[in-house]
Amino acid sequence: MLQSEFISIFCERPTQFAWFLGAGTSRTAGLPTAGDVIWDLKRRYYRLEQDREVSSQDIQNEAVQERIQAFLDSQGFPPLWADEEYTTYFEKIFGEDRERQRNYLKGILSEDKVTLSVGNRVLGGLMAARLTRAVFTTNFDSVVEKAIAEVSGSSLQAYSLEGTGSALNAIHNEEFPFYCKLHGDFRFESLKNLTMDLTSQNENLSNSLLAAGSRFGLVVAGYSGRDASVMSLLARVLETPTPFPHGLYWTGLKGSSPHPAVESLLSKAAAAGVKAELVEIETFDALMSRIWRNIDGRPASIDAKVRKARISNVSIPIAPKSGKKPILRLNALPITLPDRCLQLDLNTTMDWRSLRTAIADYRRDIVITKANAVWCWGEEARIRQAFGTAIESISEATVPPDFRTGVNLHFKAFFEEAIILSLAAGKPLVPRMKPSAGFLIADPHAADIGALAPLQRIVGKVSGRIPGLFSPVDDYHPEAEMVSWAEALRVSLDRKDDGTWLLLEPDVWIWPPHARKLATEFLDERKSRRFNGVHNQLLNAWSTIVLGTAERNVSFDIRPFSSGTASENPAFQVGSRTAFAMRAGR
């Protein structure tokens, strides 16, 4: 389901929905997720067993993670990201000692480490304004309580494993807002954190969720669905006479795949007559911000606390030039973006997976994005071939000029994909998109790589294989492959000083991409001598290659396709002179 469609449904009747929160909603407040805790526990176990110092900062390093994971694999621990990792490492470190567990969690989840994000404040505002009546979570922390206190000045008592008997009565007696911590609170004695604990949920707290599920719709945010006991409890709601009467909406980050247990639950819910949807969002904060803006009747006093930061115009004069030569060259080229594209009116709702499937055979001919509508570039005939009978009509549309705002973030990747297609056209370069940027990769299979001569003069070979290195095997990649590399250019957009800039960043690509972590040593060696002078030469070389000229301070148009109208084949105007910093005048 489109995020905008869900927001419209929710904002029409917010009091009809309960929320279920996972660790992802607390991460925005600066607290660790379950994955972060797992790595910290691995660090502690490795440090104890191998008698080596590994700091909390060290564990952020991929090479350190690989070394620790290799040791754990040799000791027979669960594979990386296996569902049982969390409880396995808790049991190894703490055994069944509840007090040590509690003290550990108290240290990493303490309130003085919480910095509320806008998403946390919006949820607190919804609860304080009685627009959200019930919230359930598997989190141990105090983020929600702190959010309520900050936006309303009042306190919120959570129902947890301490004193569970009145939880169900609170739902029946409409003692709202109701907040329930299914796994407990680190500030108290009782926690559900180990394998034996997590095989089932507390019956009193479970009954309160069943009662809420029979009365409200449910919105799930920041939760992966890996806890079998929680998923079983949500499935029990489907056995009640009125399961999720206002729908079940599971939010997940765009481009990510839901856990199989989530897909199974949504399928069962749909079969039971529940409106069950997977909602793709950018972030929890972006979702909650949009919800708050679309809610009518927000109390002014709470609104002021929720929206602490407001945009205002400022004017900071730039220091006058001194007349001396530039002191710093930047890797940014000026670029002007197109303002027209095509909008598709489809007779069926298509999620990102369906859209990618539709254009799978047209990745060099069609560029697409979507939010509350579907926009694209490409010849209309090609688009109709790709989507077939799903197309009702195609019309021209205006592309928003600023891709930084929350509602327009998806246009950034839209522009970047069209740009890398434009820059790769007619050259021995392979275009690839990642969520953060586009990449132009030296084509190792190209028959003629003469156009890459400026790069070869600096680095020598532009592609090859890494001897003796094979890609890891997992459920998604059942066969090991030889790992290869190629020189690459990372391409992304940014806006500064009221202008749009094309950022060029020399890099090295690894094939297959999921083997990049294993190639850390090779990458370190390959890029170890690329200091300022060499980096400047690389930037010159790549600029010459992708722009087709070494001339400076000229401007020209680039297009992703060989033909088409302005709405089908957009023009990007690029300048060949990079931005630079000057000495301030005195």
Side-chain angles (χ1 to χ4, degrees):
M1 169 182 277
L2 293 176
Q3 180 178 237
S4 57
E5 184 181 351
F6 162 70
I7 291 173
S8 177
I9 292 171
F10 178 88
C11 291
E12 287 174 2
R13 43 182 183 166
T15 57
Q16 301 300 324
F17 290 92
W19 286 78
F20 191 99
L21 308 178
T25 63
S26 291
R27 186 170 200 176
T28 64
L31 294 181
T33 64
D36 298 327
V37 173
I38 288 171
W39 274 114
D40 186 61
L41 293 173
K42 290 179 179 181
R43 176 184 71 87
R44 290 166 180 259
Y45 183 81
Y46 177 83
R47 185 175 62 184
L48 182 65
E49 293 297 315
Q50 295 293 97
D51 193 25
R52 295 186 182 181
E53 178 60 32
V54 182
S55 71
S56 299
Q57 289 72 34
D58 293 337
I59 199 63
Q60 306 301 319
N61 186 297
E62 291 184 357
V64 175
Q65 290 184 359
E66 289 169 9
R67 185 172 73 244
I68 292 176
Q69 188 62 45
F71 167 74
L72 296 170
D73 289 343
S74 70
Q75 300 297 305
F77 280 86
L80 184 65
W81 305 125
D83 288 350
E84 62 270 24
E85 271 197 312
Y86 185 85
T87 53
T88 297
Y89 291 111
F90 254 98
E91 289 169 345
K92 278 291 183 182
I93 297 292
F94 304 111
E96 296 184 6
D97 191 327
R98 306 288 178 170
E99 183 62 22
R100 289 181 65 209
Q101 277 191 71
R102 191 171 68 83
N103 288 335
Y104 171 74
L105 292 171
K106 183 178 180 180
I108 63 173
L109 301 177
S110 61
E111 190 167 305
D112 60 3
K113 296 185 178 180
V114 173
T115 302
L116 296 179
S117 70
V118 64
N120 306 135
R121 295 198 304 273
V122 168
L123 183 65
L126 290 172
M127 296 178 73
R130 300 297 194 269
L131 295 172
T132 286
R133 299 182 174 185
V135 175
F136 295 83
T137 186
T138 55
N139 299 340
F140 303 126
D141 58 64
S142 58
V143 170
V144 173
E145 296 99 311
K146 187 170 183 177
I148 287 276
E150 182 168 311
V151 302
S152 70
S154 59
S155 61
L156 173 69
Q157 178 62 50
Y159 290 91
S160 62
L161 298 176
E162 302 286 334
T164 65
S166 57
L168 180 59
N169 290 334
I171 291 287
H172 288 322
N173 297 334
E174 299 191 353
E175 296 174 11
F176 302 133
F178 173 86
Y179 182 43
C180 177
K181 294 183 173 180
L182 292 171
H183 287 175
D185 188 318
F186 71 80
R187 293 169 296 184
F188 302 113
E189 294 296 329
S190 299
L191 289 172
K192 293 177 74 66
N193 204 42
L194 303 181
T195 303
M196 180 170 32
D197 303 326
L198 296 172
T199 56
S200 63
Q201 295 295 322
N202 177 275
E203 193 62 26
N204 289 319
L205 300 183
S206 296
N207 287 336
S208 68
L209 178 57
L210 293 175
S214 299
R215 174 172 178 171
F216 300 106
L218 187 66
V219 183
V220 183
Y223 183 61
S224 66
R226 292 181 181 275
D227 188 335
S229 65
V230 170
M231 299 305 289
S232 175
L233 178 56
L234 294 176
R236 284 174 58 189
V237 178
L238 302 177
E239 300 170 4
T240 64
T242 56
F244 305 120
H246 301 285
L248 172 60
Y249 300 92
W250 198 292
T251 65
L253 298 182
K254 284 184 177 179
S256 62
S257 299
H259 192 278
V262 175
E263 294 181 324
S264 175
L265 177 68
L266 294 178
S267 296
K268 290 177 182 177
V274 175
K275 183 173 178 58
E277 300 283 354
L278 182 67
V279 183
E280 291 186 319
I281 65 174
E282 291 98 358
T283 64
F284 176 66
D285 284 344
L287 170 68
M288 300 306 284
S289 294
R290 295 180 184 183
I291 284 176
W292 191 250
R293 285 194 295 269
N294 285 276
I295 289 282
D296 292 326
R298 301 185 300 266
S301 59
I302 292 178
D303 185 49
K305 294 291 185 66
V306 168
R307 300 198 293 177
K308 292 173 60 176
R310 295 178 182 274
I311 297 176
S312 60
N313 293 323
V314 298
S315 178
I316 303 175
I318 297 177
K321 297 178 181 178
S322 65
K324 298 181 179 179
K325 291 183 179 180
I327 61 171
L328 182 65
R329 182 192 188 188
L330 307 180
N331 65 327
L333 299 175
I335 186 170
T336 302
L337 305 177
D339 62 358
R340 305 294 297 169
C341 70
L342 298 178
Q343 181 172 319
L344 307 187
D345 181 17
L346 305 178
N347 55 28
T348 182
T349 300
M350 300 183 73
D351 58 18
W352 269 106
R353 184 180 299 178
S354 301
L355 289 172
R356 293 189 187 100
T357 300
I359 65 170
D361 296 329
Y362 301 88
R363 293 310 304 269
R364 296 273 185 123
D365 304 306
I366 297 173
V367 180
I368 200 161
T369 190
K370 83 174 185 72
N372 59 338
V374 177
W375 295 273
C376 68
W377 283 309
E379 290 190 29
E380 184 173 332
R382 297 271 188 173
I383 295 169
R384 291 189 180 277
Q385 287 176 358
F387 287 91
T389 58
I391 290 184
E392 290 283 351
S393 64
I394 300 178
S395 58
E396 289 193 356
T398 300
V399 183
D402 190 351
F403 51 79
R404 296 174 302 173
T405 60
V407 295
N408 294 335
L409 285 175
H410 59 97
F411 282 109
K412 181 175 182 289
F414 186 50
F415 287 128
E416 289 170 347
E417 185 170 358
I419 289 170
I420 64 171
L421 289 178
S422 303
L423 296 175
K427 306 178 184 75
L429 298 173
V430 179
R432 285 288 185 271
M433 281 300 297
K434 284 193 170 185
S436 59
F439 286 80
L440 293 168
I441 309 161
D443 188 351
H445 305 296
D448 181 6
I449 60 170
L452 302 182
L455 184 62
Q456 289 177 307
R457 285 194 287 270
I458 302 168
V459 301
K461 289 182 62 178
V462 295
S463 64
R465 286 182 172 172
I466 303 178
L469 192 63
F470 290 84
S471 63
V473 174
D474 55 34
D475 292 341
Y476 300 101
H477 310 93
E479 295 184 5
E481 304 176 52
M482 291 190 67
V483 179
S484 57
W485 62 274
E487 292 292 327
L489 182 70
R490 185 180 189 272
V491 179
S492 61
L493 288 173
D494 199 2
R495 280 188 60 84
K496 297 291 182 184
D497 295 331
D498 295 324
T500 304
W501 300 91
L502 183 65
L503 308 183
L504 307 180
E505 185 177 340
D507 201 351
V508 177
W509 186 267
I510 296 295
W511 268 299
H514 72 281
R516 189 173 183 89
K517 289 184 178 180
L518 298 184
T520 300
E521 185 175 343
F522 169 83
L523 291 171
D524 288 345
E525 173 61 26
R526 180 78 185 173
K527 298 192 288 186
S528 62
R529 290 173 290 277
R530 297 185 179 184
F531 299 113
N532 288 355
V534 176
H535 193 274
N536 183 62
Q537 294 175 28
L538 286 172
L539 189 58
N540 283 338
W542 273 113
S543 178
T544 300
I545 291 168
V546 299
L547 299 181
T549 178
E551 189 177 356
R552 293 290 173 259
N553 208 23
V554 296
S555 180
F556 46 90
D557 289 350
I558 58 173
R559 297 177 184 268
F561 314 120
S562 59
S563 61
T565 66
S567 298
E568 295 173 320
N569 190 18
F572 297 85
Q573 188 177 72
V574 185
S576 65
R577 186 180 188 180
T578 57
F580 54 87
M582 299 289 295
R583 292 185 184 276
R586 293 183 182 274

